[in-house]
Amino acid sequence: MSPACDCCGEQVNKLNQQVSVMRKEIKNLRQMLDSAVRAHRKHMISIQSAVSKVALCEPAREQTPSPSPPSSQAALEKGNIQTVPIGYISSCFSVKNGTPRQPTICGPSRAELRIQQSVFNNPEHALVGLEHYSHVWIVFLFHKNGHLSYKAKVKPPRLNGQRVGVYSTRSPHRPNALGLTLAKLDKISDRPRFKFLRSPEEAAAAIRGVLSADPRSVYRRTRCRDRLFFFTLDTADITCWFGRGFAEVLQVRCYWIGK
């Protein structure tokens, strides 16, 4: 082999090593960015909670020394409870009209609980071991009541106009619009859902179709040295690397569809 070929081979090896190092650095930077975004999200939630507490407090009319903040135990004894929703439930019943009053009336109906990523960095970790149980208790909040007014006595539909106490009924209009239900656990899925694509196989075929058409602009194809390319498909962010005559998918990151 001639010295020129040896020199070219060494250059190719060096370039491959540099590309490998660049990919690792890009991966580390993205992990750091994701951690920073999660920390910022938690910080914003704590700030919003603090601002809401300040807004609820009326300013004192007289200049008096402020008492020390009550402890969490004292707040619980006074009934001041602050909750954070861990997720939202959606079912095949979109409105209250026609929704069965008892779950056994319509057995084939299904509902889905989506855990929010704002509560846990890895929501799937909080569900480890839950698949060993057949049923789960769910404490929920009627956040779409339509109005917040409530009465001590209500008229249930099947009592022919008779008034009874609100606590002896299933009325969602009550001082604390909380509910408790026993749900049968069908399955646990930690995969994000697509909004338009119907399966991961269909998503893979769509990615191959996009890359085969080379979606880069003329400038990026001919004059830009950066071979990385990013694009979004449905609920997935795709990172790919374009070489000479080929395209390599480096990362596919899907995000959850939340409310």
Side-chain angles (χ1 to χ4, degrees), residues 115 155 161 180 225:
I115 305 297
K155 296 180 180 180
L180 177 67
R225 294 183 178 181

Side-chain angles (χ1 to χ4, degrees), residues 54-203:
V54 172
L56 292 176
C57 297
E58 296 182 357
R61 295 183 179 180
E62 299 179 357
Q63 295 294 334
T64 57
S66 59
S68 59
S71 62
S72 58
Q73 182 64 30
L76 289 176
E77 292 177 357
K78 292 182 179 180
N80 299 327
I81 303 174
Q82 183 178 0
T83 60
V84 178
I86 64 171
Y88 292 88
I89 296 177
S90 58
S91 69
C92 55
F93 303 103
S94 58
V95 294
K96 66 178 182 180
N97 296 333
T99 302
R101 289 180 292 273
Q102 293 289 351
T104 55
I105 297 177
C106 186
S109 61
R110 294 291 183 270
E112 180 184 32
L113 172 59
R114 299 177 186 174
I115 305 297
Q116 295 292 99
Q117 285 187 321
S118 58
V119 180
F120 297 107
N121 294 336
N122 298 300
E124 62 275 8
H125 292 178
L127 304 177
V128 174
L130 191 61
E131 67 275 4
H132 301 301
Y133 296 89
S134 61
H135 293 74
V136 291
W137 287 103
I138 300 177
V139 180
F140 59 91
L141 176 70
F142 292 98
H143 70 295
K144 287 190 176 181
N145 270 350
H147 56 83
L148 299 178
S149 61
Y150 49 86
K151 297 180 180 179
K153 285 189 174 183
V154 295
K155 296 180 180 180
R158 294 195 174 186
L159 291 185
N160 298 323
Q162 180 183 355
R163 288 181 175 271
V164 295
V166 65
Y167 293 134
S168 63
T169 67
R170 292 187 293 265
S171 173
H173 305 292
R174 52 184 65 225
N176 296 312
L178 297 175
L180 177 67
T181 185
L182 178 63
K184 183 179 180 181
L185 184 61
D186 188 12
K187 64 179 179 179
I188 299 176
S189 176
D190 58 351
R191 287 187 176 183
R193 293 184 57 186
F194 294 109
K195 188 176 181 180
F196 301 101
L197 300 173
R198 291 173 292 183
S199 64
E201 291 75 16
E202 188 172 342

Side-chain angles (χ1 to χ4, degrees), residues 31-47 117-121:
Q31 291 177 352
M32 294 173 60
L33 181 61
D34 292 341
S35 300
V37 169
R38 288 192 292 266
H40 174 70
R41 190 178 300 166
K42 288 185 177 180
H43 185 59
M44 291 300 297
I45 292 175
S46 62
I47 291 177
Q117 285 187 321
S118 58
V119 180
F120 297 107
N121 294 336

Side-chain angles (χ1 to χ4, degrees), residues 216 220-221 224-229 240-243:
R216 296 177 299 169
R220 292 187 65 88
R221 286 199 301 265
C224 186
R225 294 183 178 181
D226 187 7
R227 298 296 180 179
L228 286 175
F229 186 75
C240 56
W241 172 276
F242 278 92

